[in-house]
Each structure stands twice: as structure tokens, then as C-alpha cells.
Amino acid sequence: MLYYVSEKYGGITLSLNYSSKINKIRTFALSLVFIGFGVMYLGLLLKNIEWLMLIFFLLGMLCIVFSTVVYFWIGLLSTRAVQIVCPSCEKPTKILGRVDACMHCKQPLTLDKNLEGKEFDEKYNEKKYRNEINEKK
Ligand SMILES: [Zn+2]
């Protein structure tokens, strides 16, 4: 159930197995670095076949470069996120988009009063859905 965070504070205990988007992307970027190194290591094992080793090295480099790009993207997203104090665990967290989960306790939160009390759904962040709501108004 979504929890509106601007005005009301209360004791909703429902917790979803949904981690905050920022944390998710960060984990993804970190795993990319490891995949990159793994691929490069595979290339080392194949050093007898020079062209194959080169391809693996390039692929590994690409993974690492891509993860750097993702890290930059996280930085950009973080500045756009709204900082709030989670009503559930009372720690500071960030909300990205209209609905997101608390980084610490996974409490689903919303910045849109119209969505208060609704079931958490990623679709509320989609542009298409946003337009539908605006049309109904
Ligand atoms: Zn929390």
C-alpha cells in the first residue's frame, strides 16, 4: 500500500520486497564491474588464441566503461530525487518518480496524494499512466 509522505505520518508496517530504485541501479553498476573483470580474466585464460583474447578484453572494457556511465547516471538521478524523512523508519531517504520505496525499510511511498492507500505499482511512474490521470481530471 502506498504511503503519502508530505503531510501525514503514521505507523504503516507493510513492507514490500522492493528495494529503492537508486539502490537497484547501484547494485547493477557494481555487478557490471565484476562481470567486466570476469570477462577479462576469461580472456587471459584464452591467451593462446590472440584474437579471442582481444575480443574478451574489449568486452570486459566495455562492461567497465558502461558501469561508469551508469554511476554517472545514478549521480544525475540522485540530484533529481526528492529527499524526505521516511514515516515508517524515520530515516532520511530519497524518492524517485511518483512512487518509490524507502531505502532502509522498503516502505512504499508516494509524492502524489491521489495515490495514497493504493497498492504499490511501478506503472505509476510511467509517462503513459501519468497522462491518463491528467486526462481524467
Ligand atoms: Zn523507511
Side-chain angles (χ1 to χ4, degrees):
M1 201 160 78
L2 281 164
Y3 206 68
Y4 178 61
V5 277
S6 294
E7 286 169 28
K8 278 206 297 187
Y9 275 47
I12 280 190
T13 48
L14 185 93
S15 133
L16 268 181
N17 194 15
Y18 173 85
S19 59
S20 161
K21 273 178 221 80
I22 293 171
N23 278 351
K24 246 190 211 167
I25 301 165
R26 200 170 276 149
T27 313
F28 171 68
L30 193 69
S31 51
L32 260 181
V33 175
F34 283 108
I35 291 166
F37 278 117
V39 171
M40 277 162 114
Y41 181 71
L42 275 174
L44 261 173
L45 293 177
L46 292 163
K47 61 181 171 212
N48 297 338
I49 316 160
E50 213 169 88
W51 63 272
L52 207 58
M53 187 186 85
L54 262 167
I55 286 172
F56 271 88
F57 261 71
L58 278 174
L59 278 175
M61 285 291 278
L62 270 178
C63 282
I64 291 162
V65 167
F66 186 59
S67 87
T68 320
V69 173
V70 172
Y71 266 111
F72 267 108
W73 185 50
I74 294 168
L76 280 175
L77 284 180
S78 298
T79 56
R80 267 169 39 192
V82 182
Q83 188 137 25
I84 51 112
V85 174
C86 173
S88 196
C89 63
E90 281 166 11
K91 285 178 188 155
T93 181
K94 279 176 176 174
I95 293 192
L96 210 53
R98 287 167 79 212
V99 291
D100 203 352
C102 170
M103 272 188 232
H104 310 284
C105 67
K106 315 262 195 288
Q107 164 68 49
L109 303 166
T110 179
L111 289 170
D112 190 334
K113 208 167 183 350
N114 297 328
L115 294 177
E116 188 181 23
K118 289 191 180 168
E119 281 304 309
F120 179 83
D121 199 324
E122 272 279 334
K123 77 177 180 198
Y124 293 133
N125 282 329
E126 283 168 21
K127 221 178 172 175
K128 187 183 144 233
Y129 190 82
R130 209 174 301 178
N131 291 339
E132 268 171 36
I133 286 187
N134 287 339
E135 276 163 25
K136 275 176 198 164
K137 270 179 190 171

